[in-house]
Amino acid sequence: MMRQDFALWVYLTQGPLLWLTVTLAAYAVADGLSLRAGRHPVANPVLISVALVGGVLVASGTEYATYFAGAQFVHFLLGPATVALALPLWEHRAVVRRSAVPMLAALVAGSVVAAVSALGVVWAFGAPEGVLVAIAPKSVTAGVAMSITEAQGGDPALTAVLVILTGMIGALVVTPLMDALGIRDYRARGFAVGLASHGIGTARAFQVDPVAGTFAGIAIGLNAVMTAVIVPVVLGWWM
Amino acid sequence: MIGSLAVILGCQLLGEVVARGLGLPVPGPVLGMAAMVGVLWLRDRFRPPVLAGVEPAGRFLLAHLSLLFVPAGVGVVGNLDVLAAEWLALSVALVVSTVLTLVVSVVTFRVVARMVGE
């Protein structure tokens, strides 16, 4: 016969309840810390939550697949949240329409730099071709980035990791970087972080300013299309 | 709340159907965002009572956008070994490229905004 406590553990790991609860609890703690830190960029709620959940998984010897069976309900909401970006977009549509020309210019310049600069660095380190392919679309939202990599014959799993890390780096550096540059235009700041660091950068932008969040959301969509067009061209020319 | 969630899911569904049906490089939810803009236009234009409460679910999701990246983020921690062979090149590339992209995008935006006479 199974021991009682072990039977309970087996029961809990088979349903989504345990890991859904852990995910929400970790975020509640992380968001509280971030709020108490006055939304300081280093107290990033994604980063803190990931560290907390990661710690629990390691300590309990839990596989990621088991964890994801519960966490998938949260993950699923990324799609609806993307649709919801229409709300601030509609609310601020007058500013958005007025900013069309600077946005498109920043889109072209930023999109090319995002792909070429990443390629340039890994190429300078002498990395193999597969790594070049996997890093090229790292600034766009994970689903699109992975399908670009796959179409170019690269490893989508590596791309997924690079995309998430790019999001976290952007969310951490954007505020101090923009302050250092003396940029006070929240349209420009938001657009830049959405373009460079997709949704994780956009989450940061919404913490700072609603207009920044709006422009970051627009940049996610535009850069997904732009990168899908640019990356095959740049890779073809590079290799 | 439930009604507004149904509208959002409906927009996403429409976006997925169009994106996959036509083989577009745009993610379904991004097309869903465009559909949602259409819904908001309808709401403000014709003010049908059925669309009066279309915002709460979306506002709630956007207020907790960070939470939604936690499952994927945890996946990264478990898969950091894919970086192993090239970790130095990849770390340098991610930091340099992200900072450079931020700077080039924001500067281009500001310069062009000034050129078109803001």
Side-chain angles (χ1 to χ4, degrees):
Chain A
M1 247 195 53
M2 268 198 282
R3 282 184 48 210
Q4 204 55 42
D5 51 353
F6 182 65
L8 176 63
W9 175 249
V10 169
Y11 167 72
L12 282 177
T13 52
Q14 279 169 350
L17 175 64
L18 176 63
W19 297 112
L20 188 55
T21 310
V22 168
T23 305
L24 293 181
Y27 172 75
V29 170
D31 194 48
L33 286 173
S34 160
L35 209 66
R36 189 167 298 181
R39 298 295 184 199
H40 189 279
V42 173
N44 184 282
V46 184
L47 210 60
I48 299 171
S49 308
V50 167
L52 290 173
V53 174
V56 174
L57 293 187
V58 170
S60 61
T62 305
E63 297 270 341
Y64 181 67
T66 308
Y67 165 74
F68 195 76
Q72 62 174 320
F73 301 103
V74 170
H75 184 75
F76 168 77
L77 292 174
L78 278 171
T82 305
V83 175
L85 288 169
L87 298 175
L89 173 60
W90 181 249
E91 190 183 342
H92 299 287
R93 61 190 178 281
V95 195
V96 171
R97 202 174 299 144
R98 249 192 296 129
S99 314
V101 178
M103 266 198 304
L104 290 178
L107 170 66
V108 175
S111 196
V112 171
V113 167
V116 172
S117 62
L119 281 174
V121 173
V122 289
W123 176 80
F125 273 91
E129 225 169 71
V131 174
L132 268 69
V133 173
I135 203 171
K138 57 115 181 65
S139 280
V140 303
T141 189
V144 177
M146 288 165 76
S147 60
I148 293 173
T149 297
E150 211 159 18
Q152 299 296 313
D155 174 15
L158 175 56
T159 297
V161 171
L162 296 173
V163 166
I164 300 291
L165 291 175
T166 301
M168 292 190 179
I169 293 168
L172 287 175
V173 304
V174 62
T175 307
L177 180 65
M178 295 301 164
D179 287 346
L181 291 171
I183 308 277
R184 279 184 298 265
D185 182 345
Y186 279 103
R187 301 171 305 163
R189 288 171 69 131
F191 194 82
V193 80
L195 191 154
S197 295
H198 53 90
I200 302 182
T202 301
R204 171 63 193 168
F206 272 114
Q207 281 188 343
V208 174
D209 183 271
V211 170
T214 303
F215 277 78
I218 300 168
I220 300 179
L222 291 178
N223 198 29
V225 180
M226 194 70 193
T227 302
V229 174
I230 278 182
V231 161
V233 176
V234 172
L235 281 174
W237 160 79
W238 199 288
M239 304 196 297
Chain B
M1 188 70 161
I2 298 299
S4 64
L5 188 58
V7 171
I8 288 177
L9 291 178
C11 288
Q12 187 182 350
L13 185 61
L14 181 68
E16 293 287 5
V17 168
V18 173
R20 283 175 197 268
L22 301 179
L24 301 177
V26 196
V30 170
L31 291 182
M33 188 200 311
M36 188 71 194
V37 166
V39 168
L40 294 169
W41 177 82
L42 281 173
R43 181 197 60 182
D44 289 359
R45 183 79 178 75
F46 300 105
R47 306 197 172 278
V50 66
L51 291 180
V54 81
E55 295 211 359
R59 294 283 170 199
F60 179 77
L61 286 173
L62 290 181
H64 298 287
L65 199 51
S66 297
L67 164 67
L68 313 187
F69 291 99
V70 174
V74 173
V76 166
V77 176
N79 283 297
L80 281 178
D81 52 323
V82 298
L83 305 180
E86 303 288 341
W87 71 270
L88 182 62
L90 291 171
S91 318
V92 175
L94 290 184
V95 173
V96 168
S97 175
T98 305
V99 169
L100 219 57
T101 306
L102 285 169
V103 173
V104 169
S105 308
V106 86
V107 169
T108 308
F109 191 112
R110 285 302 307 148
V111 167
V112 174
R114 214 167 300 160
M115 273 165 42
V116 297
E118 281 186 15

